[in-house]
Amino acid sequence: ILNSTKSVDLSPNTKVTFTCLSEVQGKHSPGHIINAHYILDGKIKGNKKVFISNIDPIGFVYAVVGDKLDLNGSAVPPVKSDPIFLGDKITTLNSTYVKVKMIDDTIILIAPNSEFYFENFQMKTNEADREAIYSLNKGLIKAWFNKKSNEDLIIKTKTASMGVRGTELTISSSFDSANDMWVSTFVHLEGKIWIHDEYDQGYMLET
């Protein structure tokens, strides 16, 4: 509730008070901005504003190198342990690398100058039973997908869609200005992969 305050006693002379400052609307991560005050012997010793989401994250920033990142159209400093929500779009700039760990233990490394979109993610009964669709709009990723998966996960580029299972692979998507076309390339290192290209051709690889 906006402007409401709640206090939590930590000890007889220390407590933390939480005040709801504002409500954040949006399809990606709606929630509230909360101001927390640490109070010792009746005096404020520190305070911090935090964002509390109304929805559960689908992953977290696992590791980061660099300081230039665009999240859903806004420039933000990449921070380890930041949550990833359904519908988020990460754009890395210059020399920034971001590694994301999904809640099903999938690891995705997003290289510099890349744009990656978390289009769909649904956990069902357990980590081996889920649905996910990711889109690499440009740039390069390396991904390690959970070998215990019972579902085919989808990665889309400008020119193809790939169903993967228990896979380690690298994918890139770039624009070939000389030929005025988008080009997608991949290195398949392990597992199964089904590819369906823009010409409606499909095939499977397994290692």
Side-chain angles (χ1 to χ4, degrees):
I1 301 175
L2 290 179
N3 300 317
S4 63
T5 298
K6 182 177 182 179
S7 296
V8 177
D9 293 326
L10 303 179
S11 70
N13 62 336
T14 60
K15 66 179 180 179
V16 177
T17 64
F18 301 92
T19 303
C20 182
L21 300 179
S22 62
E23 184 176 3
V24 178
Q25 300 290 344
K27 66 179 182 179
H28 295 299
S29 52
H32 295 81
I33 302 296
I34 306 295
N35 194 32
H37 287 97
Y38 175 70
I39 300 173
L40 176 64
D41 294 328
K43 297 180 179 180
I44 297 176
K45 295 297 183 178
N47 71 284
K48 186 174 184 180
K49 291 182 181 180
V50 295
F51 171 73
I52 306 297
S53 175
N54 293 344
I55 58 177
D56 293 330
I58 60 173
F60 297 88
V61 174
Y62 187 64
V64 62
V65 175
D67 58 1
K68 295 182 182 296
L69 178 69
D70 184 292
L71 178 63
N72 302 322
S74 300
V76 297
V79 179
K80 184 178 178 180
S81 298
D82 271 358
I84 300 296
F85 296 98
L86 181 66
D88 277 352
K89 181 172 68 176
I90 291 179
T91 303
T92 54
L93 307 175
N94 298 333
S95 58
T96 299
Y97 290 82
V98 175
K99 183 180 284 188
V100 173
K101 184 174 183 179
M102 307 300 291
I103 60 174
D104 66 348
D105 290 334
T106 291
I107 302 292
I108 302 169
L109 174 63
I110 307 171
N113 300 308
S114 300
E115 184 179 287
F116 193 76
Y117 176 45
F118 299 86
E119 184 173 337
N120 183 43
F121 189 95
Q122 297 182 23
M123 292 287 287
K124 297 181 181 179
T125 56
N126 53 62
E127 68 175 23
D129 190 13
R130 84 278 199 201
E131 296 177 357
I133 300 176
Y134 307 108
S135 293
L136 176 63
N137 296 331
K138 67 173 183 178
L140 183 145
I141 64 163
K142 184 172 183 180
W144 296 263
F145 291 94
N146 191 343
K147 293 182 179 180
K148 294 183 288 184
S149 171
N150 294 326
E151 300 291 333
D152 298 331
L153 311 184
I154 305 297
I155 301 180
K156 299 191 297 187
T157 69
K158 297 283 188 180
T159 61
S161 62
M162 285 154 272
V164 299
R165 178 177 295 177
T167 301
E168 178 182 350
L169 78 166
T170 300
I171 303 173
S172 67
S173 178
S174 59
F175 186 71
D176 182 352
S177 57
N179 294 299
D180 191 29
M181 62 185 296
W182 281 91
V183 177
S184 299
T185 60
F186 67 91
V187 178
H188 175 227
L189 302 174
E190 184 181 2
K192 293 182 180 180
I193 183 170
W194 294 261
I195 300 175
H196 194 270
D197 63 26
E198 60 183 327
Y199 303 107
D200 205 28
Q201 299 294 315
Y203 46 94
M204 185 190 79
L205 294 174
E206 182 176 4
T207 58

